[in-house]
């Protein structure tokens, strides 16, 4: 029996699983595979240096799936920021009805998309930021716990607390993000009040993921202890796979007497991280991975993975419901 949550009803998907927006990874091939399997696939806008590249990728995705898919627009600090308004306009022009937003000062982009009738999923690492996003009119919140890959925020609150706090305080439906890889995790998220889960690292390790096979196999071998937090000194804490370059970056962060970001910049280069996914050398540069790598033991295709998650979640919820026996009426 298909899941019936606010997420599945509003988005038109059958399994409440969202593929998170991932730089260097969120292309049409992966997004369409997730959507065809019943989840929500996401194209990452800023993979493409120009908005026109995003337009072509959206059209490519439409040829690969008739199911709903989304676009991620993440607003990052930069000396010369991308033309976010132009990327949003491409989304509107191409008729994409769902967008995942994240990052700083998303108000203008969210306002533009909402006026066009786009459903907004906004990613937050704190309840305070989530409440600000509610005021902007977002439709769903993606609550990102400390376990997640990439930018974890500065509060260090794990999902067990963060999701319960969201259930207690938020009036907008929310998705659980960070630490999810299987159906038991989906069942737990639903019990904590979420209407679905967002998975990044788990989808990184699938057949359709456009990264080198060596990196997928490295994820399978890894343990939950094989990540590290970098850039805390600069209030930009980021969870990365723990390799030689990450360790070098941490050494600079600990020992720098100036605190100049330029000292660590060469070690945390996004360009080198992208090369990891191409050349297959997990030690070549930094790359993001969540603590959930300790729960990933295979490299399935998206159809197999999502079907397995759906089955596991249904069985888990049924098993736990059977633990309760109503008192007999006298």
């Amino acid at each position: 029996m298909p899941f019936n949550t606010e997420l599945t009803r509003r988005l038109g998907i059958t399994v409440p699983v969202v593929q998170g927006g991932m730089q260097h990874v969120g292309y049409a091939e992966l997004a369409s595979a997730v959507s065809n399997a019943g989840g929500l696939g996401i194209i990452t806008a800023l993979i493409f240096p120009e908005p026109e590249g995003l337009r072509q990728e959206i059209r490519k995705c439409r040829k690969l799936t008739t199911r709903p898919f989304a676009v991620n627009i993440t607003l990052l600090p930069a000396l010369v920021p991308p033309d976010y308004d132009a990327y949003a306009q491409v989304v509107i022009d191409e008729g994409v009805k769902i967008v995942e937003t994240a990052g700083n000062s998303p108000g203008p982009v969210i306002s533009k998309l909402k006026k066009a009738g786009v459903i907004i999923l906004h990613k937050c690492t704190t309840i305070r930021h989530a409440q600000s996003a509610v005021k902007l009119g977002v439709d769903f919140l993606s609550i990102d716990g400390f376990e997640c890959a990439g930018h974890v925020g500065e509060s260090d609150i794990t999902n067990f607390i963060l999701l319960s706090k969201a259930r207690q305080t938020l009036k907008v439906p929310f998705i659980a993000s960070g630490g999810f890889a299987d159906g038991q995790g989906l069942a737990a998220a639903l019990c904590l009040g979420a209407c679905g889960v967002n998975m990044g690292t788990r989808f990184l390790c699938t057949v359709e993921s456009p990264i080198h096979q060596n990196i997928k196999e490295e994820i399978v071998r890894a343990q939950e202890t094989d990540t590290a937090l970098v850039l805390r000194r600069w209030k930009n804490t980021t969870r990365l796979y723990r390799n030689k370059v990450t360790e070098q970056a941490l050494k600079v962060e600990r020992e720098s007497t100036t605190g100049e970001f330029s000292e660590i910049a060469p070690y945390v280069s996004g360009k080198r991280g992208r090369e990891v996914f191409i050349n297959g050398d997990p030690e070549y540069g930094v790359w993001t991975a969540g603590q959930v790598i300790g729960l990933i033991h295979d490299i399935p295709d998206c159809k197999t993975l999502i079907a397995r998650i759906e089955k596991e979640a249904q069985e888990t919820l049924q098993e736990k419901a059977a633990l309760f026996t109503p008192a007999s009426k006298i």
Side-chain angles (χ1 to χ4, degrees):
M1 180 179 177
F3 279 94
N4 180 18
T5 74
E6 187 75 10
L7 191 71
T8 60
R9 290 192 298 270
R10 293 279 303 278
L11 303 191
I13 61 179
T14 57
V15 185
V17 171
V18 175
Q19 167 234 321
M22 293 177 279
Q23 190 70 355
H24 314 312
V25 179
Y27 290 95
E29 288 83 359
L30 178 58
S32 61
V34 173
S35 291
N36 284 334
L40 181 74
I42 295 185
I43 296 170
T44 303
L46 296 188
I47 286 176
F48 308 98
E50 301 294 334
E52 192 59 31
L54 173 61
R55 186 188 307 278
Q56 296 308 315
E57 199 70 10
I58 290 170
R59 293 178 179 180
K60 182 178 181 180
C61 197
R62 280 240 164 79
K63 293 178 180 178
L64 297 173
T65 185
T66 59
R67 305 284 300 165
F69 64 90
V71 170
N72 166 279
I73 301 177
T74 298
L75 292 84
L76 298 172
L79 292 175
V80 183
D83 188 347
Y84 296 116
D85 186 78
Y87 284 99
Q89 190 60 52
V90 165
V91 167
I92 294 167
D93 292 344
E94 294 301 315
V96 176
K97 295 301 181 186
I98 309 165
V99 167
E100 178 188 63
T101 56
N104 300 321
S105 304
V109 168
I110 289 174
S111 178
K112 182 183 184 75
L113 293 168
K114 287 295 294 178
K115 287 178 182 177
V118 175
I119 294 173
I120 303 294
L121 288 64
H122 185 70
K123 186 171 285 190
C124 309
T125 58
T126 68
I127 298 301
R128 178 171 61 85
H129 291 141
Q131 290 168 334
S132 296
V134 170
K135 294 176 183 177
L136 296 175
V138 303
D139 299 277
F140 292 88
L141 293 156
S142 190
I143 303 297
D144 221 5
F146 184 57
E147 305 92 331
C148 72
H151 299 286
V152 302
E154 308 303 321
S155 300
D156 300 359
I157 302 173
T158 62
N159 258 328
F160 208 88
I161 301 301
L162 202 55
L163 296 177
S164 291
K165 187 71 172 182
R167 184 188 69 247
Q168 292 177 354
T169 60
L170 299 178
K171 304 302 181 183
V172 169
F174 62 92
I175 307 161
S177 178
F180 296 97
D182 54 30
Q184 287 81 2
L186 172 57
L190 295 175
C191 289
L192 288 171
C195 58
V197 297
N198 179 304
M199 303 193 311
T201 306
R202 175 64 269 196
F203 281 121
L204 196 64
C205 197
T206 56
V207 170
E208 295 90 348
S209 171
I211 69 172
H212 200 286
Q213 184 70 13
N214 289 356
I215 305 304
K216 299 178 187 182
E217 292 172 1
E218 187 74 8
I219 292 171
V220 170
R221 285 191 293 268
Q223 300 299 314
E224 61 275 12
T225 51
D226 291 332
T227 70
L229 297 174
V230 182
L231 302 180
R232 171 138 291 181
R233 185 169 179 174
W234 292 274
K235 304 296 183 184
N236 189 26
T237 307
T238 303
R239 187 178 299 282
L240 303 172
Y241 181 72
R242 187 183 290 274
N243 61 13
K244 292 178 182 177
V245 183
T246 304
E247 294 289 0
Q248 290 169 338
L250 285 168
K251 186 173 187 295
V252 171
E253 185 165 0
R254 287 193 302 268
E255 299 178 3
S256 170
T257 58
T258 67
E260 293 292 333
F261 185 77
S262 58
E263 291 186 41
I264 200 172
Y267 298 99
V268 294
S269 164
K271 184 177 180 181
R272 285 180 65 175
R274 180 176 182 273
E275 285 297 315
V276 167
F277 292 157
I278 296 171
N279 66 27
D281 179 0
E283 300 292 335
Y284 183 81
V286 298
W287 48 285
T288 61
Q291 291 179 320
V292 76
I293 54 174
L295 305 181
I296 297 172
H297 309 299
D298 62 354
I299 309 170
D301 59 49
C302 291
K303 181 178 180 181
T304 299
L305 175 62
I306 291 180
R308 184 169 73 200
I309 288 173
E310 180 179 29
K311 183 173 184 289
E312 288 172 346
Q314 290 177 351
E315 290 176 348
T316 300
L317 291 169
Q318 289 168 351
E319 288 171 5
K320 301 315 174 191
L323 294 176
F324 174 75
T325 303
S328 59
K329 295 180 180 180
I330 300 175

